[in-house]
Amino acid sequence: MNASTFWWMATGALVIAELLSGTFYLLMLSLGAAAAALAAHAGLEMTAQVITAALVGGAGVVLWNLKSKHPPTGADAADTHIHLDIGATVDVQAWDAQGMTHVKHRGAQWEATSHSVTHTPGLHRIVEITGSRLVLEKI
């Protein structure tokens, strides 16, 4: 078996493993193996192929890790295309001393807060979702 065949088989095995795990890190390593296969087709020595696989795959893993740890900033918490609950109304019965409340929304109890300084009971609109906490504004 020649070197390029080995690298293409390694690429396929890494892609299959990626499909089973779903982490994207193995996909980055498979890109490295594919780059090594191309290096083998170009006639580079085995040492150069291994270095190519390590550099391309390693760079892919590092870049994916950086992307995963630092998602693009934006107003996703208030984006109505992502959170269909934005704009819905809830009834607040009472607020606690820390400015928190629990409201029933879509059949479940949610913890909620408000950016407002005064907290009064009544109807409120959901303006943002931060984690599993609703951010409300008085209507």
Side-chain angles (χ1 to χ4, degrees), residues 95-137:
W95 294 89
D96 65 16
Q98 290 80 29
M100 302 295 294
T101 187
H102 285 86
V103 295
K104 189 163 186 158
H105 176 61
R106 292 197 301 149
Q109 286 291 327
W110 289 72
E111 188 175 75
T113 187
S114 174
H115 294 306
S116 174
V117 176
T118 59
H119 297 98
T120 56
L123 282 180
H124 287 70
R125 179 177 294 113
I126 301 171
V127 293
E128 185 178 325
I129 299 175
T130 305
S132 62
R133 182 178 295 165
L134 302 176
V135 179
L136 309 176
E137 74 176 2

Side-chain angles (χ1 to χ4, degrees), residues 5-41:
T5 304
F6 166 77
W7 287 113
W8 287 122
M9 289 175 55
T11 301
L14 286 166
V15 169
I16 290 169
E18 170 57 40
L19 291 172
L20 296 174
S21 70
T23 63
F24 280 98
Y25 290 103
L26 293 174
L27 189 60
M28 300 301 119
L29 293 178
S30 72
L31 290 176
L38 295 175
H41 283 296

Side-chain angles (χ1 to χ4, degrees), residues 79-88 105-106 129:
D79 189 351
T80 58
H81 293 98
I82 295 173
H83 298 291
L84 300 177
D85 296 319
I86 304 292
H105 176 61
R106 292 197 301 149
I129 299 175

